[in-house]
Amino acid sequence: MRFLLEYKRTEPHQRNNNTSNLMSAAFTVRIDEAMLGALDQLAEKTERPRNWLVAKAIEDYLAVNAWQVGKIEAGITAADGGDFASDEELARVRMKFAVRE
């Protein structure tokens, strides 16, 4: 199934969501019929257009993954600088999360 996402630039007073003020673009994404049906149901129940839901989902996905990549990069930088947990710190964390019987 091909699903065309179309974004049109609108004036700020015409917006009713929190998406970016940047110029928008159109692109095609392929999703299966079940996902399209679920998207349509959610659009109906939330009284939001499909495009808004998909754009919001992408916005949220990018935010979460940018945060995760940032944390990974910070960890790599710390490791490259020799900043590792000591054996005592590691043992304390293991004890904290150990399964107790």
Side-chain angles (χ1 to χ4, degrees), residues 1 12 17-18 20 24 26 41 50-51 54-55 69 85 100:
M1 161 74 35
N17 58 52
N18 294 328
S20 173
S24 54
Q41 285 180 352
R50 276 187 194 169
N51 288 351
V54 173
V69 167
R100 310 218 191 270

Side-chain angles (χ1 to χ4, degrees), residues 10-67:
T10 58
E11 296 304 314
H13 70 276
Q14 294 175 323
R15 288 193 178 91
N16 61 356
N17 58 52
N18 294 328
T19 57
S20 173
N21 290 335
L22 300 176
M23 180 70 76
S24 54
F27 67 97
T28 301
V29 62
R30 293 180 187 273
I31 60 175
D32 62 37
E33 292 287 338
M35 193 179 302
L36 182 60
L39 180 60
D40 285 340
Q41 285 180 352
L42 185 60
E44 184 178 327
K45 290 178 181 181
T46 60
E47 297 181 357
R48 296 276 190 182
R50 276 187 194 169
N51 288 351
W52 187 92
L53 293 173
V54 173
K56 184 67 175 148
I58 293 170
E59 180 182 339
D60 292 348
Y61 178 86
L62 292 173
V64 166
N65 282 276
W67 172 87

